[in-house]
Every structure is written in structure tokens, then in C-alpha cells.
Amino acid sequence: MQAASLPLIRLQAFQQALAASPEQDSLQHQVALAADAISAASCSVMLLESEGEGEPSMSIHAHHGPLPSAALQAAIRRGEGISGRVLASGNALLVADIRKSAFAALARRGAGLGSSLICAPISIEGRITGVINAANGKDAAPFDEAALCLLQLMALFLGRYLQARHLRHLLDSRFAQLALLQQTEADRSPAGRLAHHNPDQVARILARSFFREMHRAGFGSAQILSAASELIGQLNRDIQQDH
């Protein structure tokens, strides 16, 4: 569907979302803007957790409006449920009335929510990292193709937002800034290109720099391995706190 065919009021809502104040820069705020743009009673963003042992799963990282308690606590793998199927296929989904669809058995509607839903994949650098879900209100009209198109635009924007947020967190570290600057000089790239590193590339640069600096400081293999084990331990504690 062409953007020109979208109702003007929806395009205006999307424009307001893109022009949001940096002071309101949070994933929770982005979800609220998405819900307002498509007049959804409920909207949520599910993201893949860091891959460890076994297949990674998605969980809700931000939501706006009512959601069933089961949905808030769910861990969804690829192919599981409606969101998992969108994650696996990479294709957005519009369900006008879930009670009359092939997904009827998968329905988990909360109080005050209707029977129409839409779901779109969120991608970063071409990799699907999560989904955004939206449900209509109990007495509201079902979603249409225009709403689906707008949610896909919001999903695209969310992917860029998540990538930028990740990079900002990495670049807050003086160590990260120094490591990236050294890598940039080694590559003879303009300093302005630092911001264009993707998160996976930044992580590899930091790991190599961490190893080199410890080696130059005289640490042996055992000490470097101990430092790496401590890093893994900190990550495990951080993941447990998130849950």
C-alpha cells in the first residue's frame, strides 16, 4: 500500500512520532506513540534475548495499554504463537477477527481488548530482532491495511531507534571511544564514521582492544581468561536481574 493512500490523520500521527522530543527518548514512549498512531488499545514490543544455550526466545520489553498477565510473562520462540510466526517468517500479519481466523486457538485477549490484531517484525541490519504487536479496543473497528502499513513503518523506525540506543550506550564508555578511535585511525576512515558501526562490529572491536590492552599491560593468558570469565558472570547476573 502506498503511503499516499493512508488517511491524513494517521500520517500526521506518524510524523509526530518521528519528531518526538529527545527528552522522551525511551522504548516505552515509542510504543505509546505507535499505539496512538494506529488507534490501538494495546501495543507491545517483544525482543529476542541474548543468545545462549538453546534457541533464543522473545519477551515483552515495553507495552502500552492492557495485556493479559500470561502475555507479560511469556517467552516466545520462533514459530510459537502469532508473534513467533511473524518472527520466523519476517512478514507482517493482519487479523481482522481472530475468532474467525486460523489463529483462533492462539488467542489471548485481555479485558477491554477486541478481536483484531496486527503484528510486524522489527529488524536491525537485516536481522529480525523482535516484533511489535497491536490489538484494537473491545468496541473499536477492526484494523485495516492502512493500520498494518503504518505499524510496519513504526517497526522500521523502532529498529533504527534500538540500534542507535545500543550504540549510544556503548559509546558512553571512554574505553569504547578510545577503541573505536584507534580502529578508525587504523582503517584510515573519517572520524565521523564512528557512529555508523553496527553493534556487532562495535562488540568485536571492543573485544580485540580489550585483549590487546591486557596483553600490553603484561597480563598472561590465565589473567585474561579470568577477566573474560568475570565479564560472562556479570552478564549472567544482569540477565537474571532483568527476569
Side-chain angles (χ1 to χ4, degrees):
M1 176 176 293
Q2 297 297 319
S5 65
L6 289 171
L8 180 59
I9 189 171
R10 288 181 174 177
L11 287 176
Q12 289 174 335
F14 182 63
Q15 180 192 22
Q16 291 172 1
L18 293 180
S21 169
E23 288 76 13
Q24 298 175 320
D25 188 18
S26 70
L27 184 58
Q28 181 64 42
H29 183 66
Q30 301 302 324
V31 174
L33 288 172
D36 289 342
I38 59 175
S39 300
S42 175
C43 188
S44 63
V45 165
M46 304 186 76
L47 299 176
L48 278 172
E49 305 296 339
S50 299
E51 296 188 21
E53 294 184 3
E55 186 178 356
S57 61
M58 293 188 302
S59 63
I60 290 180
H61 281 235
H63 76 278
H64 176 80
L67 280 179
S69 58
L72 289 171
Q73 301 170 5
I76 306 298
R77 293 183 174 83
R78 297 181 190 276
E80 292 181 348
I82 296 173
S83 298
R85 295 187 186 190
V86 170
L87 178 71
S89 68
N91 297 319
L93 178 68
L94 164 64
V95 180
D97 188 340
I98 195 168
R99 297 168 301 183
K100 302 176 181 178
S101 73
F103 304 104
L106 303 175
R108 288 189 300 189
R109 292 185 294 151
L113 297 181
S115 301
S116 182
L117 61 90
I118 45 180
C119 184
I122 299 171
S123 65
I124 298 177
E125 297 288 332
R127 180 169 53 91
I128 306 299
T129 58
V131 299
I132 179 170
N133 308 290
N136 71 336
K138 186 174 183 180
D139 299 318
F143 291 121
D144 55 17
E145 292 289 340
L148 179 64
C149 180
L150 200 53
L151 191 70
Q152 288 177 284
L153 289 174
M154 292 300 297
L156 177 62
F157 176 68
L158 276 170
R160 298 294 178 86
Y161 164 80
L162 290 168
Q163 182 180 33
R165 187 182 70 168
H166 191 177
L167 286 172
R168 281 199 304 271
H169 289 169
L170 285 174
L171 293 174
D172 280 343
S173 162
R174 292 184 180 274
F175 174 75
Q177 293 171 9
L178 178 61
L180 289 175
L181 182 60
Q182 291 174 340
Q183 182 66 36
T184 299
E185 291 175 347
D187 294 341
R188 296 183 180 180
S189 302
R193 294 187 61 188
L194 284 176
H196 298 288
H197 286 292
N198 64 55
D200 289 340
Q201 183 181 6
V202 170
R204 289 193 293 270
I205 291 173
L206 293 181
R208 290 195 296 267
S209 181
F210 175 73
F211 176 82
R212 286 197 304 267
E213 293 305 317
M214 288 200 69
H215 190 267
R216 287 172 184 169
F219 291 101
S221 299
Q223 287 77 33
I224 296 175
L225 181 60
S226 177
S229 298
E230 175 62 22
L231 179 62
I232 294 173
Q234 291 285 348
L235 177 60
N236 287 334
R237 285 190 288 272
D238 187 56
I239 292 174
Q240 291 172 1
Q241 289 175 359
D242 287 343
H243 292 287

mmCIF file with all atom_site columns, all heavy atoms in Angstrom, residues 132-151:
data_model
loop_
_atom_site.group_PDB
_atom_site.id
_atom_site.type_symbol
_atom_site.label_atom_id
_atom_site.label_alt_id
_atom_site.label_comp_id
_atom_site.label_asym_id
_atom_site.label_entity_id
_atom_site.label_seq_id
_atom_site.pdbx_PDB_ins_code
_atom_site.Cartn_x
_atom_site.Cartn_y
_atom_site.Cartn_z
_atom_site.occupancy
_atom_site.B_iso_or_equiv
_atom_site.pdbx_formal_charge
_atom_site.auth_seq_id
_atom_site.auth_comp_id
_atom_site.auth_asym_id
_atom_site.auth_atom_id
_atom_site.pdbx_PDB_model_num
ATOM 1   N N   . ILE A 1 132 ? 6.542   -6.066 16.886 1.00 0.00 ? 132 ILE A N   1
ATOM 2   C CA  . ILE A 1 132 ? 5.644   -5.136 17.554 1.00 0.00 ? 132 ILE A CA  1
ATOM 3   C C   . ILE A 1 132 ? 4.220   -5.622 17.312 1.00 0.00 ? 132 ILE A C   1
ATOM 4   O O   . ILE A 1 132 ? 3.853   -5.937 16.180 1.00 0.00 ? 132 ILE A O   1
ATOM 5   C CB  . ILE A 1 132 ? 5.845   -3.680 17.065 1.00 0.00 ? 132 ILE A CB  1
ATOM 6   C CG1 . ILE A 1 132 ? 4.853   -2.747 17.771 1.00 0.00 ? 132 ILE A CG1 1
ATOM 7   C CG2 . ILE A 1 132 ? 5.763   -3.564 15.560 1.00 0.00 ? 132 ILE A CG2 1
ATOM 8   C CD1 . ILE A 1 132 ? 5.133   -1.271 17.542 1.00 0.00 ? 132 ILE A CD1 1
ATOM 9   N N   . ASN A 1 133 ? 3.461   -5.740 18.390 1.00 0.00 ? 133 ASN A N   1
ATOM 10  C CA  . ASN A 1 133 ? 2.088   -6.242 18.325 1.00 0.00 ? 133 ASN A CA  1
ATOM 11  C C   . ASN A 1 133 ? 1.113   -5.133 18.689 1.00 0.00 ? 133 ASN A C   1
ATOM 12  O O   . ASN A 1 133 ? 1.421   -4.279 19.532 1.00 0.00 ? 133 ASN A O   1
ATOM 13  C CB  . ASN A 1 133 ? 1.885   -7.386 19.330 1.00 0.00 ? 133 ASN A CB  1
ATOM 14  C CG  . ASN A 1 133 ? 2.917   -8.476 19.190 1.00 0.00 ? 133 ASN A CG  1
ATOM 15  O OD1 . ASN A 1 133 ? 2.932   -9.221 18.232 1.00 0.00 ? 133 ASN A OD1 1
ATOM 16  N ND2 . ASN A 1 133 ? 3.806   -8.575 20.175 1.00 0.00 ? 133 ASN A ND2 1
ATOM 17  N N   . ALA A 1 134 ? -0.076  -5.164 18.108 1.00 0.00 ? 134 ALA A N   1
ATOM 18  C CA  . ALA A 1 134 ? -1.116  -4.197 18.458 1.00 0.00 ? 134 ALA A CA  1
ATOM 19  C C   . ALA A 1 134 ? -2.475  -4.881 18.419 1.00 0.00 ? 134 ALA A C   1
ATOM 20  O O   . ALA A 1 134 ? -2.736  -5.739 17.569 1.00 0.00 ? 134 ALA A O   1
ATOM 21  C CB  . ALA A 1 134 ? -1.102  -3.006 17.508 1.00 0.00 ? 134 ALA A CB  1
ATOM 22  N N   . ALA A 1 135 ? -3.344  -4.512 19.360 1.00 0.00 ? 135 ALA A N   1
ATOM 23  C CA  . ALA A 1 135 ? -4.709  -5.040 19.416 1.00 0.00 ? 135 ALA A CA  1
ATOM 24  C C   . ALA A 1 135 ? -5.683  -3.870 19.495 1.00 0.00 ? 135 ALA A C   1
ATOM 25  O O   . ALA A 1 135 ? -5.381  -2.827 20.083 1.00 0.00 ? 135 ALA A O   1
ATOM 26  C CB  . ALA A 1 135 ? -4.884  -5.950 20.637 1.00 0.00 ? 135 ALA A CB  1
ATOM 27  N N   . ASN A 1 136 ? -6.857  -4.040 18.888 1.00 0.00 ? 136 ASN A N   1
ATOM 28  C CA  . ASN A 1 136 ? -7.847  -2.967 18.932 1.00 0.00 ? 136 ASN A CA  1
ATOM 29  C C   . ASN A 1 136 ? -8.656  -3.027 20.221 1.00 0.00 ? 136 ASN A C   1
ATOM 30  O O   . ASN A 1 136 ? -8.529  -3.956 21.017 1.00 0.00 ? 136 ASN A O   1
ATOM 31  C CB  . ASN A 1 136 ? -8.762  -3.029 17.703 1.00 0.00 ? 136 ASN A CB  1
ATOM 32  C CG  . ASN A 1 136 ? -9.711  -4.224 17.743 1.00 0.00 ? 136 ASN A CG  1
ATOM 33  O OD1 . ASN A 1 136 ? -9.444  -5.223 18.403 1.00 0.00 ? 136 ASN A OD1 1
ATOM 34  N ND2 . ASN A 1 136 ? -10.807 -4.120 17.022 1.00 0.00 ? 136 ASN A ND2 1
ATOM 35  N N   . GLY A 1 137 ? -9.503  -2.003 20.426 1.00 0.00 ? 137 GLY A N   1
ATOM 36  C CA  . GLY A 1 137 ? -10.349 -1.973 21.608 1.00 0.00 ? 137 GLY A CA  1
ATOM 37  C C   . GLY A 1 137 ? -11.567 -2.867 21.447 1.00 0.00 ? 137 GLY A C   1
ATOM 38  O O   . GLY A 1 137 ? -11.899 -3.309 20.341 1.00 0.00 ? 137 GLY A O   1
ATOM 39  N N   . LYS A 1 138 ? -12.254 -3.124 22.528 1.00 0.00 ? 138 LYS A N   1
ATOM 40  C CA  . LYS A 1 138 ? -13.369 -4.066 22.529 1.00 0.00 ? 138 LYS A CA  1
ATOM 41  C C   . LYS A 1 138 ? -14.464 -3.689 21.543 1.00 0.00 ? 138 LYS A C   1
ATOM 42  O O   . LYS A 1 138 ? -15.011 -4.551 20.851 1.00 0.00 ? 138 LYS A O   1
ATOM 43  C CB  . LYS A 1 138 ? -13.947 -4.163 23.938 1.00 0.00 ? 138 LYS A CB  1
ATOM 44  C CG  . LYS A 1 138 ? -15.020 -5.230 24.094 1.00 0.00 ? 138 LYS A CG  1
ATOM 45  C CD  . LYS A 1 138 ? -15.434 -5.366 25.542 1.00 0.00 ? 138 LYS A CD  1
ATOM 46  C CE  . LYS A 1 138 ? -16.463 -6.478 25.719 1.00 0.00 ? 138 LYS A CE  1
ATOM 47  N NZ  . LYS A 1 138 ? -16.871 -6.627 27.145 1.00 0.00 ? 138 LYS A NZ  1
ATOM 48  N N   . ASP A 1 139 ? -14.817 -2.414 21.459 1.00 0.00 ? 139 ASP A N   1
ATOM 49  C CA  . ASP A 1 139 ? -15.891 -1.984 20.569 1.00 0.00 ? 139 ASP A CA  1
ATOM 50  C C   . ASP A 1 139 ? -15.371 -1.190 19.374 1.00 0.00 ? 139 ASP A C   1
ATOM 51  O O   . ASP A 1 139 ? -16.140 -0.523 18.675 1.00 0.00 ? 139 ASP A O   1
ATOM 52  C CB  . ASP A 1 139 ? -16.896 -1.119 21.349 1.00 0.00 ? 139 ASP A CB  1
ATOM 53  C CG  . ASP A 1 139 ? -17.547 -1.898 22.494 1.00 0.00 ? 139 ASP A CG  1
ATOM 54  O OD1 . ASP A 1 139 ? -17.901 -3.070 22.272 1.00 0.00 ? 139 ASP A OD1 1
ATOM 55  O OD2 . ASP A 1 139 ? -17.672 -1.331 23.598 1.00 0.00 ? 139 ASP A OD2 1
ATOM 56  N N   . ALA A 1 140 ? -14.057 -1.249 19.138 1.00 0.00 ? 140 ALA A N   1
ATOM 57  C CA  . ALA A 1 140 ? -13.459 -0.488 18.036 1.00 0.00 ? 140 ALA A CA  1
ATOM 58  C C   . ALA A 1 140 ? -13.547 -1.249 16.727 1.00 0.00 ? 140 ALA A C   1
ATOM 59  O O   . ALA A 1 140 ? -13.716 -2.479 16.702 1.00 0.00 ? 140 ALA A O   1
ATOM 60  C CB  . ALA A 1 140 ? -12.007 -0.174 18.361 1.00 0.00 ? 140 ALA A CB  1
ATOM 61  N N   . ALA A 1 141 ? -13.431 -0.511 15.643 1.00 0.00 ? 141 ALA A N   1
ATOM 62  C CA  . ALA A 1 141 ? -13.410 -1.134 14.309 1.00 0.00 ? 141 ALA A CA  1
ATOM 63  C C   . ALA A 1 141 ? -12.150 -1.967 14.156 1.00 0.00 ? 141 ALA A C   1
ATOM 64  O O   . ALA A 1 141 ? -11.114 -1.674 14.768 1.00 0.00 ? 141 ALA A O   1
ATOM 65  C CB  . ALA A 1 141 ? -13.461 -0.059 13.237 1.00 0.00 ? 141 ALA A CB  1
ATOM 66  N N   . PRO A 1 142 ? -12.204 -3.045 13.374 1.00 0.00 ? 142 PRO A N   1
ATOM 67  C CA  . PRO A 1 142 ? -11.004 -3.870 13.176 1.00 0.00 ? 142 PRO A CA  1
ATOM 68  C C   . PRO A 1 142 ? -9.924  -3.096 12.423 1.00 0.00 ? 142 PRO A C   1
ATOM 69  O O   . PRO A 1 142 ? -10.206 -2.122 11.725 1.00 0.00 ? 142 PRO A O   1
ATOM 70  C CB  . PRO A 1 142 ? -11.523 -5.053 12.348 1.00 0.00 ? 142 PRO A CB  1
ATOM 71  C CG  . PRO A 1 142 ? -12.742 -4.536 11.668 1.00 0.00 ? 142 PRO A CG  1
ATOM 72  C CD  . PRO A 1 142 ? -13.368 -3.570 12.622 1.00 0.00 ? 142 PRO A CD  1
ATOM 73  N N   . PHE A 1 143 ? -8.703  -3.518 12.574 1.00 0.00 ? 143 PHE A N   1
ATOM 74  C CA  . PHE A 1 143 ? -7.603  -2.898 11.848 1.00 0.00 ? 143 PHE A CA  1
ATOM 75  C C   . PHE A 1 143 ? -7.758  -3.141 10.349 1.00 0.00 ? 143 PHE A C   1
ATOM 76  O O   . PHE A 1 143 ? -8.338  -4.148 9.915  1.00 0.00 ? 143 PHE A O   1
ATOM 77  C CB  . PHE A 1 143 ? -6.260  -3.470 12.312 1.00 0.00 ? 143 PHE A CB  1
ATOM 78  C CG  . PHE A 1 143 ? -5.885  -3.064 13.710 1.00 0.00 ? 143 PHE A CG  1
ATOM 79  C CD1 . PHE A 1 143 ? -5.660  -4.028 14.684 1.00 0.00 ? 143 PHE A CD1 1
ATOM 80  C CD2 . PHE A 1 143 ? -5.748  -1.732 14.059 1.00 0.00 ? 143 PHE A CD2 1
ATOM 81  C CE1 . PHE A 1 143 ? -5.304  -3.661 15.970 1.00 0.00 ? 143 PHE A CE1 1
ATOM 82  C CE2 . PHE A 1 143 ? -5.392  -1.348 15.348 1.00 0.00 ? 143 PHE A CE2 1
ATOM 83  C CZ  . PHE A 1 143 ? -5.168  -2.319 16.300 1.00 0.00 ? 143 PHE A CZ  1
ATOM 84  N N   . ASP A 1 144 ? -7.205  -2.220 9.559  1.00 0.00 ? 144 ASP A N   1
ATOM 85  C CA  . ASP A 1 144 ? -7.238  -2.365 8.108  1.00 0.00 ? 144 ASP A CA  1
ATOM 86  C C   . ASP A 1 144 ? -5.816  -2.347 7.553  1.00 0.00 ? 144 ASP A C   1
ATOM 87  O O   . ASP A 1 144 ? -4.839  -2.277 8.302  1.00 0.00 ? 144 ASP A O   1
ATOM 88  C CB  . ASP A 1 144 ? -8.091  -1.262 7.474  1.00 0.00 ? 144 ASP A CB  1
ATOM 89  C CG  . ASP A 1 144 ? -7.638  0.134  7.884  1.00 0.00 ? 144 ASP A CG  1
ATOM 90  O OD1 . ASP A 1 144 ? -6.491  0.271  8.394  1.00 0.00 ? 144 ASP A OD1 1
ATOM 91  O OD2 . ASP A 1 144 ? -8.403  1.087  7.690  1.00 0.00 ? 144 ASP A OD2 1
ATOM 92  N N   . GLU A 1 145 ? -5.701  -2.393 6.237  1.00 0.00 ? 145 GLU A N   1
ATOM 93  C CA  . GLU A 1 145 ? -4.387  -2.410 5.593  1.00 0.00 ? 145 GLU A CA  1
ATOM 94  C C   . GLU A 1 145 ? -3.602  -1.139 5.876  1.00 0.00 ? 145 GLU A C   1
ATOM 95  O O   . GLU A 1 145 ? -2.368  -1.159 5.960  1.00 0.00 ? 145 GLU A O   1
ATOM 96  C CB  . GLU A 1 145 ? -4.545  -2.618 4.087  1.00 0.00 ? 145 GLU A CB  1
ATOM 97  C CG  . GLU A 1 145 ? -5.050  -3.988 3.684  1.00 0.00 ? 145 GLU A CG  1
ATOM 98  C CD  . GLU A 1 145 ? -4.008  -5.077 3.904  1.00 0.00 ? 145 GLU A CD  1
ATOM 99  O OE1 . GLU A 1 145 ? -2.809  -4.742 4.006  1.00 0.00 ? 145 GLU A OE1 1
ATOM 100 O OE2 . GLU A 1 145 ? -4.389  -6.266 3.971  1.00 0.00 ? 145 GLU A OE2 1
ATOM 101 N N   . ALA A 1 146 ? -4.313  -0.003 6.022  1.00 0.00 ? 146 ALA A N   1
ATOM 102 C CA  . ALA A 1 146 ? -3.629  1.254  6.326  1.00 0.00 ? 146 ALA A CA  1
ATOM 103 C C   . ALA A 1 146 ? -2.943  1.179  7.688  1.00 0.00 ? 146 ALA A C   1
ATOM 104 O O   . ALA A 1 146 ? -1.806  1.625  7.850  1.00 0.00 ? 146 ALA A O   1
ATOM 105 C CB  . ALA A 1 146 ? -4.625  2.415  6.292  1.00 0.00 ? 146 ALA A CB  1
ATOM 106 N N   . ALA A 1 147 ? -3.634  0.600  8.677  1.00 0.00 ? 147 ALA A N   1
ATOM 107 C CA  . ALA A 1 147 ? -3.047  0.450  10.009 1.00 0.00 ? 147 ALA A CA  1
ATOM 108 C C   . ALA A 1 147 ? -1.842  -0.490 9.959  1.00 0.00 ? 147 ALA A C   1
ATOM 109 O O   . ALA A 1 147 ? -0.818  -0.259 10.620 1.00 0.00 ? 147 ALA A O   1
ATOM 110 C CB  . ALA A 1 147 ? -4.088  -0.073 10.983 1.00 0.00 ? 147 ALA A CB  1
ATOM 111 N N   . LEU A 1 148 ? -1.949  -1.562 9.179  1.00 0.00 ? 148 LEU A N   1
ATOM 112 C CA  . LEU A 1 148 ? -0.838  -2.509 9.049  1.00 0.00 ? 148 LEU A CA  1
ATOM 113 C C   . LEU A 1 148 ? 0.371   -1.817 8.431  1.00 0.00 ? 148 LEU A C   1
ATOM 114 O O   . LEU A 1 148 ? 1.506   -1.988 8.894  1.00 0.00 ? 148 LEU A O   1
ATOM 115 C CB  . LEU A 1 148 ? -1.263  -3.698 8.196  1.00 0.00 ? 148 LEU A CB  1
ATOM 116 C CG  . LEU A 1 148 ? -0.175  -4.758 7.959  1.00 0.00 ? 148 LEU A CG  1
ATOM 117 C CD1 . LEU A 1 148 ? 0.225   -5.417 9.267  1.00 0.00 ? 148 LEU A CD1 1
ATOM 118 C CD2 . LEU A 1 148 ? -0.655  -5.803 6.957  1.00 0.00 ? 148 LEU A CD2 1
ATOM 119 N N   . CYS A 1 149 ? 0.125   -1.018 7.386  1.00 0.00 ? 149 CYS A N   1
ATOM 120 C CA  . CYS A 1 149 ? 1.216   -0.303 6.726  1.00 0.00 ? 149 CYS A CA  1
ATOM 121 C C   . CYS A 1 149 ? 1.893   0.645  7.701  1.00 0.00 ? 149 CYS A C   1
ATOM 122 O O   . CYS A 1 149 ? 3.123   0.738  7.752  1.00 0.00 ? 149 CYS A O   1
ATOM 123 C CB  . CYS A 1 149 ? 0.671   0.465  5.521  1.00 0.00 ? 149 CYS A CB  1
ATOM 124 S SG  . CYS A 1 149 ? 1.931   1.397  4.605  1.00 0.00 ? 149 CYS A SG  1
ATOM 125 N N   . LEU A 1 150 ? 1.103   1.341  8.507  1.00 0.00 ? 150 LEU A N   1
ATOM 126 C CA  . LEU A 1 150 ? 1.652   2.286  9.463  1.00 0.00 ? 150 LEU A CA  1
ATOM 127 C C   . LEU A 1 150 ? 2.445   1.565  10.552 1.00 0.00 ? 150 LEU A C   1
ATOM 128 O O   . LEU A 1 150 ? 3.502   2.041  10.990 1.00 0.00 ? 150 LEU A O   1
ATOM 129 C CB  . LEU A 1 150 ? 0.514   3.103  10.092 1.00 0.00 ? 150 LEU A CB  1
ATOM 130 C CG  . LEU A 1 150 ? 0.908   4.435  10.738 1.00 0.00 ? 150 LEU A CG  1
ATOM 131 C CD1 . LEU A 1 150 ? 1.703   5.298  9.773  1.00 0.00 ? 150 LEU A CD1 1
ATOM 132 C CD2 . LEU A 1 150 ? -0.334  5.183  11.186 1.00 0.00 ? 150 LEU A CD2 1
ATOM 133 N N   . LEU A 1 151 ? 1.966   0.408  10.999 1.00 0.00 ? 151 LEU A N   1
ATOM 134 C CA  . LEU A 1 151 ? 2.709   -0.352 12.007 1.00 0.00 ? 151 LEU A CA  1
ATOM 135 C C   . LEU A 1 151 ? 4.050   -0.833 11.447 1.00 0.00 ? 151 LEU A C   1
ATOM 136 O O   . LEU A 1 151 ? 5.052   -0.868 12.158 1.00 0.00 ? 151 LEU A O   1
ATOM 137 C CB  . LEU A 1 151 ? 1.888   -1.550 12.488 1.00 0.00 ? 151 LEU A CB  1
ATOM 138 C CG  . LEU A 1 151 ? 2.476   -2.250 13.719 1.00 0.00 ? 151 LEU A CG  1
ATOM 139 C CD1 . LEU A 1 151 ? 2.333   -1.373 14.960 1.00 0.00 ? 151 LEU A CD1 1
ATOM 140 C CD2 . LEU A 1 151 ? 1.812   -3.606 13.962 1.00 0.00 ? 151 LEU A CD2 1
#
